[in-house]
Amino acid sequence: MNTSQVNSTIDDQYASSSNTAGSGGFITKVTADTIRSVINCYLIPPVVLFGLIGNVLSLIILGGKKMRQFSTNILLAYLAFIDALLLLLVFLRKMPCLVAKVDPVTGKNIDYVMLTVPLVLEFITSRISSLLSLVICCERCIAVFKPMKVKLWVTPKRMIFSVAAVTVIVIGLVAINFCFSTVSFYYDTTKNRTMARITYLPFYLNNQQFFSIYNNIFLAIILRIFPTSLILILSVAIITQMYRRKRWLKGVTHATQNEYTENDTQAMTKMLMIIVSIFIVCLLPGSISIIISMIDRRFTARGEFRYELRAVSSISSLFTVLNSSANFVVYIAMNKKFSDILVQMLCGFRKKHGRNDHGKVDSNGAINKVESNGTISSTLSSSTCIVHKP
């Protein structure tokens, strides 16, 4: 059985796959291996490092006292944590490609180790990330369709319960794959080196058909195809409702009491919809390839078009990494408070805001204004760092 279809990143398992079937595709093995090598060794590592830094900063900011009081930020903070863990696992799994440039034997040994428990952990984190995007869509549906009840229905406790439930469900469904295989080592006298090899566990050997159906069909549908499809449907509904509400607000001749709340809702929804849209764009190619492999067995690891599938899977892996790394950029571009806190963290100084706000200027040069609820907030500028001389 090809373990790569467990997490839809089949490119890492092709090296040990059988090549007995004839290839009738348009891509040769050399071309597929070149695409895989370029993506795994030169494109994914820098994207992963950028995404790790971005997600760690996002977790610190969204989990801080200034932002965690909002239910949505609790969800986004946990998403940043899961994406950071996913990127770390991806980096570890792509490391053999870099090590092999120096020592092919060590690189191959590390590759076999990464194809066991780390592979399953990567699958768990990627599926949790997907379901969290579904939770985001559900939360925005409530905010857009039932704006007067969103604060009653979506509370911090319920959001914590939701992310905990998603985590438990995914781990419960995927944990059986820890019984799949293990790594054993032996001494190769011909190479005078210690070599690694994957050893399939007896539980898997006795239930190969079950694992094939469960991983390649059931989990693929439940944890990837269904969430992606539902997210796509909900996103269309949310965007349509936002357009209708915007047209309705333009037709109102007088200001309403909920004008500022409506603007905040629209801004938050736009930001979250961009995050969800990036998820759809990045995950859709991989989902389509999985569906095709289910329908046509020629698009499998040992099928006629295995090299085409290898290239598509490598590109899909890059898209998955881009999806987990892009949220940090979206937060900076569309969340003023997030970018202000980030500037404050990186620069170490409070900064003046370019707008003519009504309020007092404190000793640090920040303009303080009184909010409607009586609290004081400092507005910051996210342009350049200003160092105040003593």
Side-chain angles (χ1 to χ4, degrees):
M1 172 185 161
N2 184 6
T3 63
S4 56
Q5 287 183 315
V6 172
N7 68 343
S8 77
T9 56
I10 64 174
D11 53 299
D12 290 304
Q13 191 70 354
Y14 275 92
S16 58
S17 296
S18 174
N19 291 324
T20 57
S23 175
F26 301 98
I27 298 180
T28 63
K29 182 179 184 298
V30 175
T31 303
D33 289 341
T34 301
I35 294 174
R36 178 178 180 269
S37 178
V38 170
I39 291 178
N40 290 345
C41 296
Y42 303 107
L43 296 182
I44 288 183
V47 176
V48 167
L49 291 177
F50 171 80
L52 273 173
I53 297 173
N55 280 295
V56 170
L57 291 174
S58 299
L59 178 60
I60 294 173
I61 296 174
L62 294 170
K65 293 181 179 180
K66 294 182 179 181
M67 300 192 71
R68 70 183 177 190
Q69 66 269 29
F70 301 104
S71 301
T72 305
N73 290 336
I74 294 175
L75 173 60
L76 295 179
Y78 188 70
L79 179 62
F81 168 75
I82 290 296
D83 282 340
L85 185 58
L86 171 61
L87 292 172
L88 178 61
L89 291 168
V90 170
F91 181 78
L92 293 176
R93 291 225 311 118
K94 303 306 178 185
M95 190 170 59
C97 182
L98 301 175
V99 176
K101 302 295 183 181
V102 179
D103 187 352
V105 174
T106 302
K108 187 176 182 180
N109 289 343
I110 297 176
D111 190 25
Y112 282 149
V113 173
M114 293 296 111
L115 285 173
T116 53
V117 174
L119 178 70
V120 180
L121 292 177
E122 180 187 335
F123 176 58
I124 290 175
T125 53
S126 63
R127 297 287 72 82
I128 291 176
S129 179
S130 299
L131 292 185
L132 288 178
S133 298
L134 179 58
V135 175
I136 290 175
C137 270
C138 294
E139 188 271 341
R140 279 301 94 186
C141 276
I142 297 174
V144 171
F145 286 92
K146 298 290 183 180
M148 303 302 294
K149 296 183 179 181
V150 62
K151 290 186 179 180
L152 296 176
W153 292 359
V154 183
T155 62
K157 289 184 178 180
R158 290 179 179 177
M159 193 60 66
I160 293 174
F161 174 80
S162 298
V163 298
V166 166
T167 304
V168 171
I169 290 172
V170 173
I171 293 177
L173 290 173
V174 182
I176 191 174
N177 286 285
F178 287 113
C179 304
F180 193 92
S181 61
T182 186
V183 175
S184 60
F185 295 88
Y186 67 97
Y187 185 78
D188 190 338
T189 55
T190 60
K191 297 181 179 180
N192 197 26
R193 296 286 299 270
T194 299
M195 306 292 292
R197 61 186 172 191
I198 294 180
T199 304
Y200 295 108
L201 298 176
F203 180 75
Y204 162 72
L205 295 175
N206 296 329
N207 301 276
Q208 293 187 49
Q209 186 175 3
F210 165 78
F211 272 93
S212 178
I213 297 174
Y214 185 78
N215 288 324
N216 301 338
I217 299 178
F218 178 75
L219 289 185
I221 294 174
I222 296 298
L223 296 182
R224 177 150 186 161
I225 297 175
F226 174 75
T228 304
S229 302
L230 188 56
I231 287 172
L232 184 59
I233 295 172
L234 292 178
S235 298
V236 173
I238 291 171
I239 294 173
T240 302
Q241 181 66 10
M242 286 179 59
Y243 177 73
R244 290 176 179 175
R245 289 184 64 86
K246 188 175 182 179
R247 290 187 60 183
W248 177 81
L249 288 173
K250 286 183 177 179
V252 178
T253 57
H254 60 280
T256 63
Q257 294 180 351
N258 296 324
E259 180 181 355
Y260 294 106
T261 302
E262 181 67 28
N263 291 337
D264 291 341
T265 302
Q266 292 279 343
M268 176 62 73
T269 303
K270 288 180 181 179
M271 185 188 75
L272 295 180
M273 283 300 97
I274 290 179
I275 293 175
V276 171
S277 299
I278 293 174
F279 167 83
I280 294 174
V281 171
C282 292
L283 272 292
L284 196 57
S287 299
I288 293 175
S289 66
I290 292 175
I291 295 174
I292 293 176
S293 65
M294 290 180 184
I295 299 175
D296 192 339
R297 299 304 298 173
R298 293 179 299 174
F299 292 92
T300 59
R302 299 181 184 183
E304 181 179 352
F305 297 101
R306 59 185 180 275
Y307 299 136
E308 285 78 4
L309 187 62
R310 183 188 306 192
V312 171
S313 299
S314 299
I315 297 172
S316 178
S317 298
L318 177 61
F319 282 172
T320 301
V321 171
L322 288 172
N323 172 66
S324 298
S325 305
N327 292 348
F328 177 68
V329 179
V330 176
Y331 298 149
I332 294 177
M334 300 197 65
N335 192 319
K336 179 67 170 61
K337 189 172 183 179
F338 181 94
S339 60
D340 287 345
I341 296 175
L342 177 64
V343 169
Q344 183 181 359
M345 286 177 53
L346 299 180
C347 299
F349 294 94
R350 291 188 176 273
K351 302 167 58 63
K352 292 183 179 180
H353 196 280
R355 297 179 304 176
N356 186 19
D357 291 314
H358 300 284
K360 296 181 178 180
V361 180
D362 60 17
S363 58
N364 291 325
I367 303 175
N368 294 330
K369 64 177 182 178
V370 179
E371 303 287 353
S372 58
N373 59 0
T375 59
I376 303 290
S377 66
S378 296
T379 58
L380 306 174
S381 172
S382 58
S383 55
T384 57
C385 297
I386 301 176
V387 180
H388 298 282
K389 297 181 179 179

